[in-house]
Amino acid sequence: MGSAAQRHPLFAPLVVVGGLIFGFGLAYSHMARPEVVLDFLQFEDFGLVFVMFGGAAVTGVTYFLAPRLLGRAVLTGDGFDRRLKSFDRNVLVGGAIFGVGWGLSGICPGAAYASVGIGNLTILWAIAGMFIGAYAQGVFRSRSPSDEAAPTSAD
């Protein structure tokens, strides 16, 4: 895997551009508005399904074609390897916590930043909660037994 020192000079600017495009797409589709996401979660508005399908379709085509056409990532030189993580208790509990947070706030991390971009400053409370939760998980994981905290080959 390439290190930050070996990355192409356009790597960071393209990450920013990709993030801006992603954020613009979320804002344009109204998915950066928590009330729209909450309407989806209450089965009142199914627009999020179409937005997610569009993103999944583009990702699926890219994951299928990029390794065949390019062989290696253009900006990093890394191979296109799948990163598999086993399905275990931590994945299940983490997913459940993420889902509860998403249901309570109506926003996920990527959309939260896009929501700030469209002027929803009260979402900063949710972003603060995400940071506190991530920090608490890091503290908890560092104090757990070494067999549970040991990184897998996918980490």
Side-chain angles (χ1 to χ4, degrees):
M1 183 173 229
S3 68
Q6 299 170 338
R7 287 192 174 141
H8 193 280
L10 292 177
F11 183 79
L14 285 176
V15 168
V16 171
V17 169
L20 289 172
I21 292 170
F22 178 72
F24 179 80
L26 287 172
Y28 186 76
S29 65
H30 301 287
M31 295 305 132
R33 294 176 45 209
E35 58 273 12
V36 172
V37 176
L38 290 172
D39 284 346
F40 164 74
L41 294 173
Q42 296 171 4
F43 303 108
E44 295 173 5
D45 179 1
F46 295 101
L48 181 58
V49 173
F50 296 105
V51 172
M52 291 171 75
F53 176 76
V58 169
T59 300
V61 168
T62 302
Y63 268 74
F64 178 77
L65 291 178
R68 288 163 179 77
L69 297 176
L70 302 174
R72 297 189 102 28
V74 176
L75 295 178
T76 63
D78 294 343
F80 291 109
D81 299 324
R82 290 183 61 192
R83 183 177 182 265
L84 299 177
K85 179 148 176 65
S86 62
F87 186 79
D88 60 6
R89 181 179 54 89
N90 291 337
V91 173
L92 188 63
V93 171
I97 292 170
F98 177 87
V100 168
W102 190 40
L104 289 173
S105 67
I107 211 79
C108 66
Y113 294 113
S115 190
V116 171
I118 62 171
N120 182 3
L121 298 182
T122 56
I123 202 70
L124 291 172
W125 288 106
I127 292 172
M130 289 180 222
F131 277 99
I132 292 167
Y135 179 78
Q137 188 274 340
V139 168
F140 174 77
R141 187 110 189 232
S142 69
R143 292 182 181 169
S144 63
S146 61
D147 60 330
E148 193 175 319
T152 64
S153 61
D155 284 343

